[in-house]
Amino acid sequence: MNRKVNGSKRILAAAAPSGLLAANAAYAAEGASNASAAMPWYTWTLLLACAVCAALTVWYWSLPNRKEARRLKAAALLAGTAAVLMGAFNASGMWETEQKSQSINLVQVYGMEYRQQDDGQIMVATHEGIQWFDTGSLSWKPGVGERHDYIAFAPFEGGFYGSGRPGPGSKLLNPLGLVKSTDEGKTIEVLDLGGKASFTLMAASYRKPILYGYMNEPNEAFRQPGLYYTPDEGKNWTRCAMNGFAGDPTALAVDPDNSDLVAIGTRDGLFLSRNKGESFVELLPDTGISALVFDRDGRMAVGGFKVKPSLLQLDRDGALIEEIPLPELKEDAIAHIAHNPEKPAERIISTYEHDVYFTSDGGSTWHQVAAGGKTKPEPEVAPREGKKS
């Protein structure tokens, strides 16, 4: 029993903003290593064969006393050989299979959100920019735009706010400060704090113009750490008193229609405020909160950990509506959750061990679509918690 509880504390300790930030250096190194992965052996073989054909053609043409017809015949033969080799590889499907099996690097996921149109597309904010998951084909595709490290990600109706570090080759200042995108990450606008500060957690009221951000340490722009909110996209900031709150925040969420209603998760419980963070009451004591989000109907989805991981759905008062069955998560916990507003039984979760699971039937069946930070080209049905596979 103590071993399990201690294990849960270790897992949830990774959720603390300071832990996430400290881990990013390792993630960046891992991402660089993955990006330089070698081409498959048969691609190298094909390239080598083409190079040999080209060298033989040049050599043959350089020989003295050769008739034009024989030269043309040899060149055609060599070119034909190269074409046959390329065709064979293509027909065998080896090249195509390798292209299809190329996975997207999910070094770190910072948030997920269904696209506003009901087209089954999920936006995933990562250490390497925006990626996309298609719920119909259970497949992944990379996003368009600079690959910024969105440490904090806050979707709203019409786009998303972000904070973190600029991507490779970007001309933006580090840290990003507060940025906004209304075209799914293709372009971003720096609203405030560029080069001065970066939030570790952010959440926006989906349909109200208010944004909350949590700073875990003082910086040039904010002399005191804590929870802040802005009603005007960074022009003015107010620090929340946070009376009654205790612990290190691990997750932050805001009601989509009532921007006064703010929820914060910690390793020891869930805290709820109804007055813009001025005061909080504790819910779910002695339960570690690893993930937290309001869906567009105002219900809370909570990733918890108490001996084992759990996925709970609560109403606005914190009362339990249901507990959703989970896949088997060994020494792991939910990090982020997204819920389809048009299909109540459809959800996607990511974990602190960089796995991603998708369900379309309320948790009865989960498909693992990413494992260990790599997307899976052929998703598998994951074992259910408490059941043998």
Side-chain angles (χ1 to χ4, degrees), residues 11 90 120 124-125 175 179 221 235 289 309 319 334 340 355 384 389:
I11 292 169
N90 185 61
V124 182
V179 299
K235 294 182 177 65
I289 306 302
I334 301 172
N340 189 334
D355 298 339
R384 280 272 304 276
S389 58

Side-chain angles (χ1 to χ4, degrees), residues 113-296:
E113 177 67 10
Y114 274 81
R115 182 183 267 165
Q116 289 182 37
Q117 305 91 332
D118 184 21
D119 60 359
Q121 302 295 310
I122 300 175
M123 182 190 305
V124 182
T126 77
H127 176 67
E128 296 185 349
I130 299 297
Q131 315 294 347
W132 289 92
F133 177 71
D134 186 291
T135 62
S137 61
L138 301 184
S139 62
W140 294 84
K141 65 179 180 180
V144 179
E146 293 185 315
R147 296 186 297 116
H148 302 303
D149 183 8
Y150 291 113
I151 293 173
F153 175 74
F156 67 95
E157 191 172 43
F160 70 85
Y161 300 107
S163 191
R165 292 190 290 263
S170 175
K171 296 181 180 179
L172 297 177
L173 296 176
N174 186 14
L176 286 174
L178 173 62
V179 299
K180 173 185 177 181
S181 176
T182 57
D183 56 8
E184 301 176 336
K186 298 181 182 67
T187 61
I188 65 170
E189 175 189 0
V190 179
L191 299 175
D192 190 28
L193 307 174
K196 297 179 181 179
S198 182
F199 292 99
T200 50
L201 294 171
M202 283 200 320
S205 181
Y206 191 76
R207 286 180 280 265
K208 298 292 182 179
I210 192 165
L211 171 73
Y212 290 80
Y214 186 83
M215 294 276 183
N216 67 334
E217 58 184 23
N219 52 58
E220 179 182 343
F222 297 94
R223 298 295 181 90
Q224 293 179 289
L227 183 67
Y228 292 81
Y229 72 86
T230 175
D232 48 19
E233 298 189 324
K235 294 182 177 65
N236 296 282
W237 292 94
T238 299
R239 186 172 184 270
C240 306
M242 300 184 73
N243 296 314
F245 179 84
D248 295 321
T250 57
L252 176 65
V254 185
D255 186 277
D257 295 302
N258 179 6
S259 57
D260 290 356
L261 187 59
V262 187
I264 301 180
T266 74
R267 294 192 292 269
D268 299 304
L270 173 64
F271 291 82
L272 192 65
S273 171
R274 297 184 180 279
N275 52 14
K276 289 189 173 70
E278 286 301 298
S279 61
F280 285 85
V281 295
E282 185 176 8
L283 306 173
L284 304 180
D286 301 322
T287 298
I289 306 302
S290 58
L292 180 62
V293 66
F294 277 93
D295 66 26
R296 295 180 199 175

Side-chain angles (χ1 to χ4, degrees), residues 8 11-12 14-15 20 108-109 112 250-251 288-293 301-306 308-313 323-338 347-357 366 385:
S8 72
I11 292 169
L12 293 176
L20 289 175
Q108 180 72 25
V109 172
M112 303 181 290
T250 57
I289 306 302
S290 58
L292 180 62
V293 66
V302 179
F305 205 113
K306 190 174 184 178
K308 66 176 184 179
S310 61
L311 177 54
L312 309 175
Q313 189 172 47
E323 181 171 354
I324 299 158
L326 282 175
E328 186 177 47
L329 302 178
K330 295 181 178 179
E331 293 295 314
D332 202 357
I334 301 172
H336 297 283
I337 310 163
R347 288 178 175 83
I348 189 169
I349 62 173
S350 67
T351 76
Y352 283 102
E353 290 299 318
H354 317 306
D355 298 339
V356 181
Y357 299 89
W366 289 90
E385 179 68 38

